[in-house]
Amino acid sequence: MDKTQVAEILDEMGTLLELKGENPFKCRAFHNAARVMGGVTEDLKTIVENGEIRKVKGIGESIAKVISDLVKTGKSPDRESLKKGFPPGIFDMMKIQGMGPKKVAFLYKKMKISSIDELEKAAKAGKLEKLEGFGKKTEENILLGIEQVRKHSSKFHINVAENAAQAIFDTIKSHKGIIRSEIAGSLRRRKETIGDIDIVVSASKKDAKEIFKIFTTHRSVERITGEGETKASVVLSAGINCDLRVVDDREFPFALNYFTGSKEHNIRVRALARENGWTLNEYGFAIPDTGEKGRKSKKIVPCKTEADVYKSVGLDYVEPELREDLGEIEAAQNGKLPKLVTYDDIRGTFHCHTNYSDGHNTLAEMAAGAQKLGWEYLGIADHSKVAAYANGLSEDRVKKQHKEIDVLNAKFKNFRLFKGSEVDILTNGDMDFNDKTLALLDYVVASVHSNFKLNEADMTKRILKAVKNKYVTIIGHLTGRLLLERDGYPLNQIEIINAAADHGKIIEINAHPMRLDLDWRMVKYAISKGVMIAINPDSHVVNGLTDVKYGVGIARKGWCEKKDILNTRTTKQVADYFGR
Ligand code: DGT
Ligand code: CA
Ligand code: CA
Ligand code: ZN
């Protein structure tokens, strides 16, 4: 079990303890430990094996035991017994906005409510508003929250899906009978959220049975939901479904293409095949043979790769991220597909937090993490003073941070920390720092973190004012959405993107898997207007820096080339860009 999974479980245990009504100190210790995991830079397994887990700051005796159990066996008896005390529906209830452990525990004890359905019934019957600390408004919000959860409940964040997929995929892939293998579906297309995982492999018939067995008995499988000749389906412990298809190697390019989707893209490709008089399905092209009378034989069009499949219907190879039937077919017919930016093009990133505000790691640790990824620079953008909840920096602390950055920069060879700040856009559109402080910074990420309830006109006006502020460099997480949790605030995105183009402002793709904001559909519009895009992990721990890869996926879905992305520029080019 890796750091991310351990962190998730520690967080869950902290919440279970809260539900149980344990003392807040103990609960917080678990939540803190979860965050500490994100900041651990060495291999967790090695730390546990060397008996050094207690030496990690913030890890006490009992949590150390949980961590070593998890790392060694994948299970923790403490967690199991803690979970036993609650019906599973309790956790679903906590997904509802505004329903924290306290409220959930209260309703469970007082009203025996232990699922979303029961909660909905009680709210509709007006039973909650009479309870202490609830009221009519809370009841309405709970019903709205239930609607949101239902709307999103069948999807997963991309990092959850990817981690779950990778573990089982790596195991299958290493089987000697596998000829070719790929993760397909929405995960290959790098969609912002994922329904289920689709794996396609090719192998000879005689190996298929054993490959299915390895799949269905993998340690991450919770339940088997289907087993057939060519397909098996399971539910993984992360709660997500996973389908495996084993095909003949001749069929592999067709199966991979079909199961990568999207459905809309497939339909277009199939229509092109039909124009040639062929049929196309997940097993291959077929040409109905009309040559000999009465006999209905079929001829196969051989294809070795997906590129061959596209070529056969007159298309250039279409990268998976583009397969959404949003213009890629026409572009592929006319040699007009973009040459997409890749992760290897990235030289650094711009929106990271340190322990100056609500991040977990120091400036030096974040810099070391970036260097380890092979980057040339890292932009630090801690919160501004109004963000008290996140320990936002006062003007004096900004200056203090700059001194520390200067000392570090003097020591680095071929690496530089940029001095940025994530400055709140106040309700009236003003920035949270005065001009004197803003002028000290290399760049400013301007973001909305408060008063989400403005109407569309007011919210648009608020952000437009920030776009026009001469000190603002980058607009952060434009819509404020939290994927699968809350929609963005009402906003005229087109108007803001147009203004960003007019004023030469950068818009960020916030690469945190909860956000992926700007949405890729809007990214495509933004670059068509000539807006520069920055891919920012919004990372609060060293490990979060690698979230940039999800942002690259979104940039690719938005048709971005290397030139559209600030992160592909050299240190000098970035410094010049900021200095304009
Ligand atoms: P998801 O799982 O909801 O995030 O999205 P996908 O795209 O992975 O969808 P999924 O898992 O239902 O199916 C995988 C691919 O299989 C899908 O992208 C396209 C293909 N596919 C599934 N059903 C159909 C269909 O009825 N017609 C066509 N042409 N393709 C289909
Ligand atoms: Ca899928
Ligand atoms: Ca599927
Ligand atoms: Zn932010």
Side-chain angles (χ1 to χ4, degrees), residues 351 353 383 422 447 449 477 515 538:
H351 176 179
H353 299 268
H383 286 284
E422 184 181 21
S447 309
H449 290 121
H477 45 71
R515 293 189 184 268
D538 200 348

Side-chain angles (χ1 to χ4, degrees), residues 155 185-187 189 193-196 198 258-263 266-267 270:
K155 295 270 180 189
S186 49
L187 199 49
R189 301 199 316 279
T193 57
I194 308 295
D196 75 354
D198 304 278
Y258 181 89
F259 291 112
T260 297
S262 67
K263 195 171 154 183
N266 289 355
I267 289 170
R270 203 186 315 145

